[in-house]
Amino acid sequence: MRDLRTLGPWLRRFLADYIVTERRLARNTQMSYRDSFTLLLPFISTKIRKSADRLNVEDITPALILQFLAHLEESRSCSVQTRNQRLTAIRSFARFVASRDPAHLAWCAQIRAITTKKAAPQPVSWMSRDEMEALVTVPDRQTLRGRAEHALLLFLYNTGARVSEATRLEVGDLQISRRGDNHALVTLHGKGNKIRQCPLWARTEDTLGELIQGRETCEPVFLSRHRKRYTRFGVYRLVERCAAQVPSLAARPITPHVIRHTCACHLLQAGVDLNTIRAWLGHVSLETTNIYAEIDLEMKAKAMALCSAAAPRPERPWKENKGVMAFLNAI
């Protein structure tokens, strides 16, 4: 780069070379960082009245970043988690610039001094078995589109897969119609290009087998009504549309991640240990999976509160009346 002050070349190197080639981060990470700067640059341009192509690195000041973060929460109604995610992208970019040009070390230190906000943990939302079954059966399986939607919902419930894992799934990732006692398996490509295998129920195997009949191994498993690979937005819209048709779910925000939580909670209720659930969902740390154990403890506490055996019993009298009239009254 000839001009080390211009922001554009730095961003190109950061998003196209550093993220992809050097760090080998996931495609979703690259897109998330891109979205952060897609929002940040127009905001700064408006504030300092300077086009985005003419912005310098030093134009991204701590004061403007704080204003941008406040804008995200107040004007765009973003959550604290989203605010922190955008800040993480900016701080990562600042660290990249300073590592290549020591002249920006002081600027980088000021940017990285901006702290993240402490966010209250979000309650884990999940569905009961009846609610999940009702959601899965909403699509009309008499039509090709309905069968594809039913298969996608059933697959999400069976595997607890992330949306990105489901949309990336190809026919070659499925191992179905295996002979003997071998379970059907699916290979999922998760975060950070981590690969894991997950067993499939018999009904999931049958549903997917019908769906992919006649397709090549390199073709996507789930196709939208336009016969193209499902997008993230398409999966979210499908889940929201089906949930709106279930009376008990209509007023609740149901997303594909709620289905992921539901899968984990039902596995826990079935007696599956936490470490197996961690591997099932593709969590790196067991601490991430522990949230489902806390849910289970809450369910046990509620069950104990409703249990009649836990209710206080009346004190027994010192002497019981064993007369015939007491016997008759007790019947």
Side-chain angles (χ1 to χ4, degrees):
M1 291 185 300
R2 295 180 181 178
D3 190 353
L4 296 179
R5 296 174 301 171
T6 307
L7 180 63
W10 280 113
L11 273 178
R12 290 190 181 92
R13 284 187 60 190
F14 175 68
L15 294 174
D17 297 334
Y18 177 71
I19 295 294
V20 178
T21 306
E22 296 184 32
R23 292 292 308 279
R24 297 187 65 185
L25 298 179
R27 169 67 174 166
N28 287 340
T29 303
Q30 183 192 33
M31 295 174 66
S32 175
Y33 284 12
R34 176 208 63 188
D35 293 343
S36 299
F37 287 98
T38 301
L39 295 171
L40 176 65
L41 265 57
F43 179 84
I44 294 180
S45 296
T46 303
K47 290 292 183 180
I48 66 175
R49 298 181 180 180
K50 192 176 181 181
S51 67
D53 291 332
R54 295 177 54 243
L55 288 177
N56 292 329
V57 172
E58 290 81 4
D59 290 330
I60 306 179
T61 63
L64 285 176
I65 292 176
L66 289 173
Q67 292 180 35
F68 169 70
L69 297 176
H71 164 74
L72 291 177
E73 294 187 83
E74 297 168 5
S75 301
R76 296 181 61 89
S77 301
C78 294
S79 65
V80 175
Q81 287 85 352
T82 302
R83 181 253 190 207
N84 290 340
Q85 186 180 27
R86 302 305 183 201
L87 177 58
T88 299
I90 298 171
R91 291 167 64 177
S92 179
F93 172 69
R95 184 171 61 248
F96 163 75
V97 173
S99 66
R100 267 60 177 179
D101 184 13
H104 288 100
L105 282 173
W107 169 81
C108 173
Q110 293 176 345
I111 300 298
R112 297 189 65 190
I114 302 174
T115 59
T116 57
K117 271 191 176 181
K118 185 175 181 180
Q122 297 292 326
V124 176
S125 178
W126 58 288
M127 294 172 281
S128 66
R129 293 181 185 273
D130 292 339
E131 290 172 337
M132 189 64 234
E133 289 295 335
L135 179 68
V136 170
T137 55
V138 166
D140 182 11
R141 280 175 278 175
Q142 299 301 318
T143 65
L144 178 61
R145 177 185 175 184
R147 288 193 291 272
E149 292 177 347
H150 168 74
L152 177 53
L153 292 174
L154 185 60
F155 177 81
L156 291 174
Y157 177 40
N158 183 163
T159 61
R162 302 177 180 91
V163 175
S164 59
E165 295 169 347
T167 55
R168 291 174 58 186
L169 190 69
E170 295 182 350
V171 175
D173 296 323
L174 296 174
Q175 300 179 37
I176 58 179
S177 302
R178 306 175 76 189
R179 297 180 179 179
D181 297 330
N182 296 322
H183 282 287
L185 295 173
V186 59
T187 302
L188 297 174
H189 302 268
K191 284 185 176 181
N193 296 322
K194 294 182 176 65
I195 297 176
R196 71 182 188 278
Q197 287 189 319
C198 185
L200 297 175
W201 302 327
R203 63 169 176 161
T204 308
E205 178 184 9
D206 296 339
T207 303
L208 293 177
E210 295 176 3
L211 188 67
I212 65 173
Q213 192 171 8
R215 295 193 201 169
E216 299 293 333
T217 56
C218 60
E219 294 185 53
V221 173
F222 301 112
L223 298 174
S224 67
R225 57 181 178 147
H226 302 294
R227 308 306 297 165
K228 294 182 179 179
R229 186 188 298 269
Y230 257 99
T231 64
R232 183 183 186 88
F233 177 77
V235 178
Y236 270 81
R237 287 291 300 134
L238 167 63
V239 174
E240 290 173 358
R241 175 164 47 83
C242 293
Q245 300 182 47
V246 180
S248 60
L249 301 177
R252 294 170 53 187
I254 303 299
T255 66
H257 214 73
V258 173
I259 300 180
R260 180 173 165 85
H261 290 323
T262 300
C263 170
C265 290
H266 291 180
L267 287 172
L268 189 63
Q269 288 177 333
V272 180
D273 64 278
L274 281 175
N275 196 44
T276 301
I277 297 176
R278 179 199 62 77
W280 193 295
L281 298 181
H283 288 160
V284 176
S285 172
L286 191 60
E287 294 181 2
T288 310
T289 318
N290 280 337
I291 59 172
Y292 304 114
E294 296 175 4
I295 294 174
D296 191 46
L297 289 174
E298 291 177 4
M299 292 188 296
K300 291 177 181 178
K302 291 179 181 178
M304 184 175 294
L306 296 174
C307 183
S308 59
R313 297 182 178 181
E315 296 180 1
R316 293 186 60 181
W318 183 254
K319 279 189 176 182
E320 292 185 351
N321 187 353
K322 297 182 180 180
V324 65
M325 294 303 300
F327 166 75
L328 294 175
N329 291 332
I331 294 179

